[in-house]
Amino acid sequence: MSIVRRNSVFDPFSVDLWTDPFDTFRSIIPAISGNSETAAFTNARVDWKETSEAHVFKADLPGVKKEEVKVEVEDGNVLVISGERTKEKEDKNDKWHRVERSSGKFVRRFRLPENAKVEEVKAGLENGVLTVTVPKAEVKKPEAKAIEISG
């Protein structure tokens, strides 16, 4: 692999060229800035797929330890994934050039369908991906009773 050095004034791959147009607003409105504790993982990506046996949730939680994550079922059918990514220790001699990784508390909620077996939920964290499996109850087909037609 070779390193390509760019010397031109216009570099379409320059990080600074593609700055976030909403940075100005984030400094004005703290609720959407990275400084808010609840905004830490508002953009945490979660996939939810349904298979024939279960509902499977996969959440990207890079750098989060198993002890920092909580998976619960509230109100009988609301799956809650929450936790906290701890902030990196700062040394007074450190010189930060850019801080983009967020830290703080996060929470995501999903209303589960009626066929979810909430008492059998399983969760595992591997390589920064949390996988929550919610088994599905078998759908009972209504029994049909044959009625004899007279006449």
Side-chain angles (χ1 to χ4, degrees):
M1 184 166 124
S2 63
I3 297 174
V4 178
R5 298 190 188 271
R6 301 182 191 282
N7 292 327
S8 72
V9 174
F10 176 73
D11 181 2
F13 299 104
S14 170
V15 175
D16 293 329
L17 179 68
W18 303 105
T19 58
D20 187 350
F22 298 106
D23 274 345
T24 305
F25 298 113
R26 284 189 180 93
S27 62
I28 298 169
I29 306 170
I32 59 173
S33 74
N35 297 333
S36 173
E37 283 188 4
T38 57
F41 275 103
T42 54
N43 291 327
R45 304 292 184 214
V46 179
D47 295 338
W48 176 1
K49 75 175 177 179
E50 181 177 355
T51 67
S52 58
E53 298 88 26
H55 295 274
V56 181
F57 297 83
K58 291 192 178 226
D60 288 340
L61 302 176
V64 178
K65 298 174 188 163
K66 180 173 82 168
E67 299 79 26
E68 299 171 329
V69 179
K70 189 186 320 183
V71 177
E72 301 173 298
V73 177
E74 292 179 344
D75 300 327
N77 70 338
V78 178
L79 177 68
V80 180
I81 300 170
S82 63
E84 184 172 6
R85 179 190 284 168
T86 55
K87 197 171 191 176
E88 189 173 325
K89 294 180 182 178
E90 293 185 27
D91 188 328
K92 292 185 179 187
N93 297 328
D94 292 344
K95 179 180 177 184
W96 291 87
H97 293 280
R98 185 178 286 277
V99 177
E100 294 181 342
R101 298 183 314 139
S102 57
S103 61
K105 296 178 182 178
F106 63 92
V107 64
R108 295 292 307 267
R109 288 181 167 82
F110 302 93
R111 185 169 307 281
L112 297 171
E114 290 182 22
N115 67 348
K117 288 183 175 180
V118 294
E119 62 281 346
E120 297 178 24
V121 175
K122 292 187 170 112
L125 183 65
E126 188 174 335
N127 297 326
V129 178
L130 174 70
T131 302
V132 179
T133 305
V134 183
K136 291 171 36 178
E138 288 185 34
V139 179
K140 293 183 181 179
K141 296 180 183 177
E143 291 184 27
K145 180 181 176 187
I147 307 295
E148 191 174 319
I149 301 174
S150 63

